[in-house]
Amino acid sequence: MIFLDKINETATFLKERGVVAPEFGLILGSGLGELAEEIENAVVVDYAEIPNWGRSTVVGHAGKLVYGDLAGRKVLALQGRFHFYEGNPLEVVTFPVRVMKVLGCEGVIVTNAAGGIGFGPGTLMAISDHINMTGQNPLIGENLDDFGPRFPDMSKAYTPEYRAVAHRVAEKIGVQLDEGVYLGATGPTYETPAEIRAFKTLGADAVGMSTVPEVIVAAHSGLKVLGISCISNYAAGFQEELNHEEVVEVTQRVKGDFKRLLTSILAEL
Ligand code: HPA
């Protein structure tokens, strides 16, 4: 199968570059990429060099893969992800997750900036579950049986044990960590106030334009998942107006806590 060949080709390329045996994949969202700068013995690969890899076009995303040691673990971190709203097919959006699986990762930590429905700017939220409002699914098409089943169970897509570790660690280091449901939309428009009222009724606590496709592909292949949202703004209707500058600004404000939390969690996973 051609797609499988591409995944293997990319994994082989990265291995040759020294990305040998990552234990955890880290997908760092808008404004959260700085964590990768704390990785020691780093192998840095520009996205443009990686075969079959997408391109990152969003402000606040560096477009680099960083592999090395963080909190005593071998991590493969992505500074910047691919979004559906950039025109990427979901195959491209989720490609890095498949490569992480092939390289032998046990789990992925998926982070994002999100609008809060109830939660305010600066809140860190462990994702307990998601609502897929994209109208898409990255697993549509021929099933990759080598990765997982045709009809994957999503009951525990966000691994409960990882979340328990996250809460325990947050308490220990004195970082406030809330928990809630992430609703994924395609963007690139922010939501209307009416949509946010509807999403609130549906049970969403945060809304964003990423994460859902990656977590579906991770769950399919049996990768464990920890999802952390950094709430960067009140969702539409709860504040005057929304813009990307504010999203990046707020993530910059909480990045200290964010980095401390993630590093401490990694040490305990
Ligand atoms: N909506 C969607 N995506 C987002 C938001 C939002 O309010 N904030 C950051 N990403």
Side-chain angles (χ1 to χ4, degrees), residues 6-268:
K6 284 187 176 178
I7 298 165
N8 288 325
E9 181 190 18
T10 305
T12 303
F13 168 86
L14 290 173
K15 272 188 218 161
E16 285 169 4
R17 290 293 296 263
V19 181
V20 193
E23 298 168 88
F24 297 99
L26 289 181
I27 301 181
L28 302 171
S30 288
L32 302 171
E34 254 189 57
L35 178 62
E37 288 167 17
E38 304 202 350
I39 295 175
E40 293 169 353
N41 307 313
V43 172
V44 182
V45 191
D46 207 282
Y47 283 1
E49 296 179 58
I50 310 174
N52 311 312
W53 208 251
R55 300 279 172 267
S56 194
T57 65
V58 187
V59 175
H61 290 251
K64 284 187 181 6
L65 181 156
V66 186
Y67 169 75
D69 301 305
L70 189 59
R73 317 310 294 257
K74 294 278 179 211
V75 301
L76 188 176
L78 301 186
Q79 285 181 312
R81 55 150 59 84
F82 312 118
H83 302 86
F84 188 60
Y85 65 72
E86 293 171 277
N88 295 303
L90 288 181
E91 205 172 281
V92 172
V93 172
T94 60
F95 192 83
V97 177
R98 292 224 155 97
V99 172
M100 286 169 178
K101 175 70 184 179
V102 168
L103 286 172
C105 286
E106 166 197 309
V108 291
I109 303 182
V110 186
T111 68
N112 57 54
I117 306 176
F119 293 127
T123 305
L124 293 173
M125 183 190 95
I127 304 176
S128 57
D129 203 348
H130 76 218
I131 298 172
N132 180 3
M133 265 297 190
T134 64
Q136 309 284 330
N137 193 302
L139 301 180
I140 289 174
E142 191 183 337
N143 185 53
L144 294 183
D145 296 330
D146 291 355
F147 284 80
R150 172 75 293 188
F151 301 109
D153 181 18
M154 291 293 288
S155 313
K156 292 181 183 164
Y158 297 82
T159 311
E161 303 89 76
Y162 275 18
R163 212 157 63 245
V165 169
H167 284 300
R168 183 158 46 75
V169 166
E171 173 120 18
K172 190 167 86 185
I173 65 170
V175 169
Q176 164 106 14
L177 180 66
D178 285 287
E179 178 165 319
V181 172
Y182 176 91
L183 183 144
T186 66
T189 50
Y190 290 113
E191 302 68 34
T192 64
E195 284 165 345
I196 293 300
R197 286 194 297 276
F199 295 166
K200 185 174 181 200
T201 308
L202 291 177
D205 299 297
V207 57
M209 306 174 192
S210 67
T211 303
V212 162
E214 293 137 324
V215 170
I216 290 174
V217 164
H220 176 243
S221 66
L223 278 166
K224 294 179 180 170
V225 174
L226 176 67
I228 306 272
S229 288
C230 167
I231 306 297
S232 55
N233 54 275
Y234 286 107
F238 292 107
Q239 68 174 47
E240 201 54 37
E241 55 172 28
L242 305 180
N243 60 69
H244 187 61
E245 289 68 38
E246 183 193 6
V247 171
V248 175
E249 207 176 283
V250 174
T251 51
Q252 290 310 297
R253 183 149 60 74
V254 300
K255 71 184 176 194
D257 273 357
F258 173 80
K259 288 196 279 195
R260 216 151 55 82
L261 180 63
L262 276 255
T263 333
S264 310
I265 290 172
L266 264 174
E268 302 278 330

